[in-house]
Amino acid sequence: MDKVSSTVEEYLKTILRLEEKFEIAKTSVLAEVLKVALGTVTNTVEKLEKQGLVIHEPYKGIKLTEKGRKIALEVLRRHRLSERLLTDLLGVDWSRAHEIACKLEHNLPNDILKNLEKVLGHPKTCPHGNPIPTSCGEIFEESSEPLLNLKQGDVGIIVKITEEEKEILEHLRKFKLIPGSLVKVLEKTSVDSLMKVKVEDVEAFLSFRLASIINVKKV
């Protein structure tokens, strides 16, 4: 496969993430996530469609073709293994790993990636709990649901954090809301759109928005 630009890779990876969340990527949301003008997204998507990487359905959104999905999964694999390299071997804080990995993901050759995966012990997830695609382009998701779905008194083990902005991750870690932690819902009020949760001896109030990006396995 011909080498594609880092811009194309970033678009395809982002479309893949949006498909996972919403089943289809809307141009307005894509522009918001990538922090570019809507017109720029429209022009780029037209080029991606001509290359057979995406299908754009007017008034609906964008979906990856098989070819586009293959590239997106390769980028995601490089990204999440880069995050593991940063946190596991280089001691970078988990809140910074995503940001730095966004730069590394476009420049890791496949032979280096295989060696890196071996050195890391073939990890299944990134530091934030999101699954690392295999070299064959498969991705295995552990069954989970948003913390927001749980009711008062419910308990769950945190599986993954689906959004990885530095400020969000710093906030979650302060309250021990990280993959593997056991979290209990103490209160849930729709009036204030807040959840009160407890992890070990730490209690925290979470907005429904924040609770929606923390996926848990109910126990």
Side-chain angles (χ1 to χ4, degrees):
M1 182 181 295
D2 294 335
K3 173 68 177 173
V4 297
S5 71
S6 59
T7 299
V8 169
E9 288 187 338
E10 193 63 30
Y11 266 79
L12 297 178
K13 182 188 72 173
T14 306
I15 292 169
L16 176 65
R17 297 296 303 274
L18 292 174
E19 275 191 40
E20 289 174 346
K21 191 171 184 179
F22 304 112
E23 295 187 357
I24 197 164
K26 292 187 177 296
T27 52
S28 57
V29 179
L30 188 56
E32 182 182 347
V33 173
L34 292 172
K35 296 180 173 60
V36 297
L38 186 57
T40 301
V41 167
T42 302
N43 290 337
T44 304
V45 167
E46 285 180 1
K47 293 176 183 176
L48 296 179
E49 193 165 28
K50 288 178 181 176
Q51 294 174 47
L53 300 174
V54 304
I55 297 171
H56 184 202
E57 300 180 45
Y59 308 108
K60 289 185 178 181
I62 309 152
K63 279 184 172 284
L64 296 170
T65 61
E66 185 177 338
K67 179 182 176 183
R69 180 176 172 80
K70 184 176 186 297
I71 296 172
L73 285 169
E74 288 173 354
V75 181
L76 201 58
R77 173 175 162 78
R78 294 199 299 268
H79 177 91
R80 290 176 176 168
L81 283 171
S82 294
E83 288 181 322
R84 277 294 177 193
L85 163 67
L86 292 163
T87 58
D88 297 7
L89 299 183
L90 302 181
V92 175
D93 188 89
W94 85 315
S95 65
R96 294 185 60 214
H98 172 73
E99 187 178 288
I100 301 171
C102 284
K103 300 173 183 177
L104 293 177
E105 67 189 28
H106 306 296
N107 300 294
L108 278 175
N110 286 333
D111 57 333
I112 299 297
L113 201 66
K114 288 180 181 178
N115 290 337
L116 174 60
E117 186 176 33
K118 183 178 179 180
V119 169
L120 289 169
H122 301 277
K124 302 300 182 186
T125 67
C126 78
H128 316 109
N130 296 295
I132 298 173
T134 68
S135 58
C136 299
E138 297 176 308
I139 191 163
F140 300 101
E141 287 272 7
E142 183 177 356
S143 179
S144 64
E145 61 182 306
L147 175 59
L148 182 59
N149 290 359
L150 271 59
K151 300 175 183 177
Q152 184 173 325
D154 286 346
V155 178
I157 297 174
I158 297 177
V159 173
K160 64 180 180 179
I161 311 299
T162 61
E163 293 185 18
E164 302 165 311
E165 285 78 8
K166 185 174 183 288
E167 294 75 16
I168 290 175
L169 295 172
E170 286 176 340
H171 180 74
L172 295 180
R173 187 183 57 184
K174 184 167 64 175
F175 297 105
K176 301 184 179 180
L177 291 160
I178 60 176
S181 292
L182 195 69
V183 57
K184 181 176 182 178
V185 179
L186 300 179
E187 297 175 24
K188 186 176 181 181
T189 58
S190 56
V191 175
D192 300 318
S193 296
L194 287 174
M195 293 181 77
K196 185 180 181 181
V197 301
K198 183 176 182 179
V199 178
E200 296 178 11
D201 57 342
V202 179
E203 296 182 359
F205 282 98
L206 301 176
S207 67
F208 280 10
R209 163 78 177 81
L210 201 53
S212 72
I213 68 167
I214 302 171
N215 272 38
V216 302
K217 187 173 185 178
K218 195 173 174 182
V219 297

